[in-house]
């Protein structure tokens, strides 16, 4: 794996920092980025946000060698992180990265040429409604083929897992192109063979340049990745 291709994953389930330790870790972020962590009320959400941002800065430093104090990470209007930097990186002309966190895991991925999208989901059952009631709230985001596979997966819990897998792949795609759900998740239809050889169609047309991977993580989580060279980078560092 070349240096510009990075995949980092952290299990934060055992991290129980004291208020002082958390503040110390938070101080490692630039001042302007700290409110993006503190805007969360629950400590679990703050932990995920903090680790996600620290991983992004560490990844940029590791791959590009930029000193921490010179790294500025912004986010597009759709929420995709990007590096704002005046220098040139001829070795990585289309360097981009993506981050995700849910449940116990926080991850970050980077590519020097391809667009990359990353999404992590926890197979968390709903608390105030049945599984079927919960997933039916999202029927408009799936094709009839995907929805049929979700409903026919087996038990309600197996349908929930199938739902989250499809949802994660769709999120990885829209996060890669930097459009968010406004792109129209219902336009995407994922095909697979037991969750391998995954490919996507948009409005019925297969996208040959895209590759997808889905990995099961511990504690009822999965991670999806999507990458392509077929799309131009929409949010880049400024020159």
């Amino acid at each position: 794996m070349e240096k510009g291709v990075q995949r980092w994953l952290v299990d934060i389930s055992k991290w129980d920092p004291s208020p002082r330790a958390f503040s110390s870790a938070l101080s490692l972020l630039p001042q302007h980025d700290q409110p993006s962590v503190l805007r969360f009320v629950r400590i679990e959400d703050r932990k995920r946000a903090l680790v996600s941002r620290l991983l992004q800065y560490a990844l940029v430093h590791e791959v590009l060698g930029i000193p921490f104090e010179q790294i500025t990470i912004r986010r597009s209007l759709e929420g995709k992180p990007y590096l704002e930097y005046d220098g040139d990186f001829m070795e990585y002309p289309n360097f981009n990265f993506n981050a995700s966190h849910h449940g116990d895991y926080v991850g970050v991925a980077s590519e020097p040429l391809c667009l990359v999208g990353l999404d992590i989901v926890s197979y968390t059952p709903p608390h105030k409604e049945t599984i079927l009631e919960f997933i039916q709230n999202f029927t408009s985001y799936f094709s009839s083929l995907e929805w049929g596979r979700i409903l026919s997966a087996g038990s309600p819990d197996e349908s929930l897992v199938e739902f989250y897998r499809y949802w994660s792949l769709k999120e990885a795609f829209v996060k890669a192109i930097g459009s968010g759900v406004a792109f129209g998740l219902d336009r995407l239809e994922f095909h697979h063979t037991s969750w391998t050889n995954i490919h996507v169609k948009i409005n019925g047309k297969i996208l040959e340049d895209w590759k997808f991977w889905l990995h099961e993580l511990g504690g009822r989580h999965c991670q999806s990745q999507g990458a392509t060279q077929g799309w131009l980078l929409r949010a880049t560092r400024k020159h």
Side-chain angles (χ1 to χ4, degrees):
M1 183 179 293
E2 62 180 294
K3 184 179 178 182
V5 180
Q6 296 292 325
R7 303 289 188 270
W8 296 0
L9 186 69
V10 176
D11 181 349
I12 64 168
S13 61
K14 301 296 192 297
W15 185 43
D16 185 22
S18 66
R20 182 176 180 179
F22 187 89
S23 295
S24 178
L26 180 66
S27 69
L28 298 174
L29 288 179
Q31 193 72 34
H32 75 270
D33 217 358
Q34 294 180 21
S36 64
V37 173
L38 297 177
R39 68 185 177 91
F40 294 102
V41 176
R42 297 174 61 247
I43 185 59
E44 292 302 314
D45 295 327
R46 288 187 172 190
K47 282 167 51 178
R48 284 187 282 263
L50 174 57
V51 173
S52 175
R53 281 156 178 78
L54 288 174
L55 283 179
Q56 293 171 53
Y57 281 90
L59 182 144
V60 169
H61 174 72
E62 171 72 20
V63 174
L64 302 179
I66 304 174
F68 281 96
E69 64 274 12
Q70 296 179 24
I71 298 173
T72 301
I73 294 175
R74 305 292 187 188
R75 283 162 184 80
S76 67
L77 292 177
E78 295 79 13
K80 181 166 185 176
Y82 65 94
L83 175 65
E84 185 178 81
Y85 192 68
D86 292 331
D88 282 317
F89 304 104
M90 299 304 294
E91 189 178 358
Y92 311 115
N94 200 34
F95 176 77
N96 71 118
F97 55 96
N98 210 227
S100 182
H101 53 79
H102 196 207
D104 295 338
Y105 288 93
V106 181
V108 65
S110 71
E111 287 282 346
L113 298 173
C114 301
L115 283 182
V116 63
L118 175 72
D119 193 66
I120 295 171
V121 295
S122 169
Y123 304 146
T124 305
H127 297 296
K128 297 182 179 180
E129 54 191 340
T130 67
I131 287 175
L132 185 56
E133 288 171 338
F134 170 72
I135 63 177
Q136 283 181 332
N137 294 324
F138 301 89
T139 54
S140 62
Y141 296 104
F142 297 92
S143 71
S144 58
L145 180 145
E146 293 170 331
W147 187 240
R149 289 186 171 180
I150 290 170
L151 292 182
S152 64
S155 68
D157 186 69
E158 288 169 324
S159 289
L160 181 70
V161 170
E162 199 80 349
F163 159 79
Y164 273 124
R165 287 169 176 164
Y166 277 113
W167 185 264
S168 180
L169 285 165
K170 288 172 183 272
E171 285 281 353
F173 176 85
V174 297
K175 289 175 70 176
I177 65 175
S179 71
V181 295
F183 177 84
L185 298 184
D186 58 309
R187 298 170 57 195
L188 305 173
E189 182 177 82
F190 279 88
H191 297 253
H192 61 87
T193 305
S194 300
W195 296 106
T196 62
N197 302 317
I198 303 170
H199 63 274
V200 67
K201 292 182 179 179
I202 293 184
N203 299 329
K205 182 179 180 180
I206 188 170
L207 298 188
E208 302 285 356
D209 292 333
W210 282 85
K211 294 184 182 298
F212 294 91
W213 301 266
L214 187 145
H215 303 287
E216 294 295 328
L217 306 175
R220 289 172 58 85
H221 297 70
C222 82
Q223 171 187 269
S224 294
Q225 301 171 39
T228 183
Q229 291 182 331
W231 288 59
L232 295 175
L233 188 60
R234 298 188 178 190
T236 58
R237 59 185 179 274
K238 295 181 180 178
H239 294 284

